[in-house]
């Protein structure tokens, strides 16, 4: 009931704006009360907080939705649209109003912003964790502070570097009119580690223009599911003090779901009674 119905009720509003903290807290309190008390006795004991129940089952939770993370992932999809549909009317409006001389990822909150822009600007942080540049001609990608290196969590070149490197774009590291790395220039500018990181980035002839891709999906397109997963992984999830509990084994036993939930309550919420 909670996962299929109750969690889905605020989805529409969460896809529009970042909800106030008090609203999200009230929703989580109501769902927590429904889980432990069944809606009949709102004054019953809540044996575990919602943020702990919202962790995955292998981490000691029940896999319920983290509404703050889900809200961020939903609104981040608007930011993804603004980045990849620059000719759309709404994209041109936001760019002219809030970031006329820069990109969406580098935009500031601005003066007297609307509530919609505040929400999109805040959810932009989700995109910074999962976006990576696919190199075309390299003219739009800064060598430093831009996610274009593969195989690294942040995707950016490590610093500090020579001052002149911060003004370069990836195109300056490529041979003129040829889609190949200029090894002479790269070796002159970077150390051995930096050279290895750069030459490991493939240059695909079919990719003509620089474009941002979502590295968490095979097709390179942002999805709320992967955005939620990325944002959750960046947060410090609840970790049970008893590290010896095999939660995966607990949920894999051959038993009806109600028996597994009962075992979960005994082992996690009431360890002394288990």
């Amino acid at each position: 009931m909670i996962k299929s119905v109750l969690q889905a009720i605020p989805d529409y509003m969460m896809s529009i704006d970042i909800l106030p903290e008090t609203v999200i807290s009230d929703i989580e309190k109501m769902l927590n009360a429904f889980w432990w008390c069944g809606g009949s006795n709102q004054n019953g004991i809540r044996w575990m907080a919602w943020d702990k129940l919202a962790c995955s089952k292998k981490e000691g939770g029940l896999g319920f939705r983290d509404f703050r993370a889900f809200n961020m992932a939903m609104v981040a999809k608007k930011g993804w649209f603004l980045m990849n549909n620059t000719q759309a009317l709404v994209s041109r409006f936001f760019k002219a109003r809030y970031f006329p001389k820069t990109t969406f990822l580098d935009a500031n909150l601005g003066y007297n912003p609307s509530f919609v822009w505040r929400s999109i600007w805040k959810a932009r942080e989700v995109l910074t964790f999962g976006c990576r540049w696919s190199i075309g001609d390299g003219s739009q990608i800064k060598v430093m502070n831009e996610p274009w290196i593969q195989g690294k969590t942040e995707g950016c070149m490590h610093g500090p570097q020579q001052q002149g490197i911060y003004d370069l774009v990836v195109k300056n590291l490529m041979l003129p009119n040829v889609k190949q790395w200029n090894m002479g220039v790269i070796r002159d500018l970077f150390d051995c580690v930096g050279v290895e990181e750069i030459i490991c980035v493939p240059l695909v002839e079919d990719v003509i223009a620089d474009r941002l891709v979502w590295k968490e999906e095979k097709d390179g397109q942002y999805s709320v599911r992967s955005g939620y997963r990325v944002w959750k992984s960046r947060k410090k999830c609840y970790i049970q003090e008893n590290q010896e509990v095999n939660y995966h084994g607990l949920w894999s036993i051959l038993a009806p779901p109600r028996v597994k939930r009962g075992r979960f309550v005994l082992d996690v919420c009431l360890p002394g009674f288990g």
Side-chain angles (χ1 to χ4, degrees):
M1 175 68 75
I2 291 177
K3 290 185 177 180
S4 302
V5 181
L6 300 182
Q7 286 187 157
I9 292 176
D11 280 3
Y12 177 73
M13 288 304 301
M14 285 188 172
S15 67
I16 299 176
D17 297 310
I18 299 293
L19 298 184
E21 186 70 19
T22 54
V23 175
I24 293 180
S25 295
D26 289 342
I27 294 174
E28 292 178 345
K29 288 177 182 178
M30 287 188 289
L31 293 183
N32 200 13
F34 181 82
W35 167 253
W36 292 109
C37 310
S40 58
N41 181 15
Q42 296 296 323
N43 297 320
I45 299 176
R46 281 76 157 174
W47 294 102
M48 184 177 286
W50 184 262
D51 59 340
K52 300 174 183 178
L53 294 176
C55 293
S56 64
K57 292 182 178 180
K58 66 179 181 181
E59 294 173 325
L62 283 173
F64 290 137
R65 179 177 295 171
D66 183 331
F67 285 95
R68 293 170 182 83
F70 185 74
N71 195 187
M72 290 283 284
M74 290 279 280
V75 178
K77 193 167 185 178
K78 288 185 175 181
W80 179 260
F81 179 88
L82 295 181
M83 290 193 305
N84 291 272
N85 298 271
T86 56
Q87 298 304 314
L89 179 60
V90 65
S91 301
R92 288 186 289 164
F93 170 80
F94 275 104
K95 182 171 180 60
R97 174 65 175 85
Y98 296 108
F99 52 100
K101 297 181 180 181
T102 183
T103 63
F104 171 73
L105 292 179
D106 296 328
N108 295 318
L109 183 58
Y111 173 74
N112 194 24
S114 67
F115 189 74
V116 174
W117 173 247
R118 285 180 182 272
S119 300
I120 298 175
W121 185 82
K122 183 177 180 180
R124 179 190 59 170
E125 190 174 357
V126 177
L127 300 176
T128 61
F129 293 145
C131 282
R132 180 179 58 79
W133 280 100
S134 178
I135 301 175
D137 60 1
S139 60
Q140 300 183 42
I141 310 171
K142 295 180 181 179
V143 173
M144 302 299 297
N145 303 322
E146 292 279 1
W148 62 280
I149 300 295
Q150 296 187 6
K152 297 180 67 175
T153 303
E154 299 84 5
C156 302
M157 287 294 298
H158 65 281
Q161 298 286 353
Q162 305 173 31
Q163 185 60 37
I165 296 179
Y166 290 84
D167 299 326
L168 298 178
V169 294
V170 174
K171 184 177 181 179
N172 300 131
L173 306 180
M174 301 165 60
L175 293 171
N177 303 319
V178 181
K179 206 162 186 181
Q180 293 181 6
W181 294 118
N182 190 332
M183 298 304 300
V185 172
I186 295 175
R187 290 195 176 99
D188 289 341
L189 295 175
F190 300 95
D191 56 17
C192 296
V193 177
V195 171
E196 188 66 26
E197 290 176 345
I198 293 173
I199 63 177
C200 288
V201 179
L203 298 177
V204 183
E205 291 288 346
D206 295 338
V207 182
I208 301 175
D210 301 326
R211 66 186 183 95
L212 281 167
V213 297
W214 183 251
K215 61 184 180 181
E216 301 298 325
E217 295 288 350
K218 293 181 179 180
D219 60 358
Q221 296 297 314
Y222 176 83
S223 68
V224 175
R225 179 184 60 183
S226 58
Y228 176 83
R229 186 172 59 247
V230 167
W231 184 251
K232 282 282 289 182
S233 67
R234 293 284 176 165
K235 296 177 63 179
K236 185 178 180 180
C237 195
Y238 171 74
I239 300 177
Q240 185 71 15
E241 292 182 0
N242 185 4
Q243 297 291 336
E244 297 181 357
V245 177
N246 182 7
Y247 297 113
H248 180 73
L250 186 152
W251 292 105
S252 299
I253 60 176
L254 298 176
R258 59 186 178 85
V259 175
K260 298 180 184 180
R261 291 194 294 268
R263 189 71 250 177
F264 168 81
V265 172
L266 291 177
D267 287 349
V268 180
C269 306
L270 302 172
F273 295 90

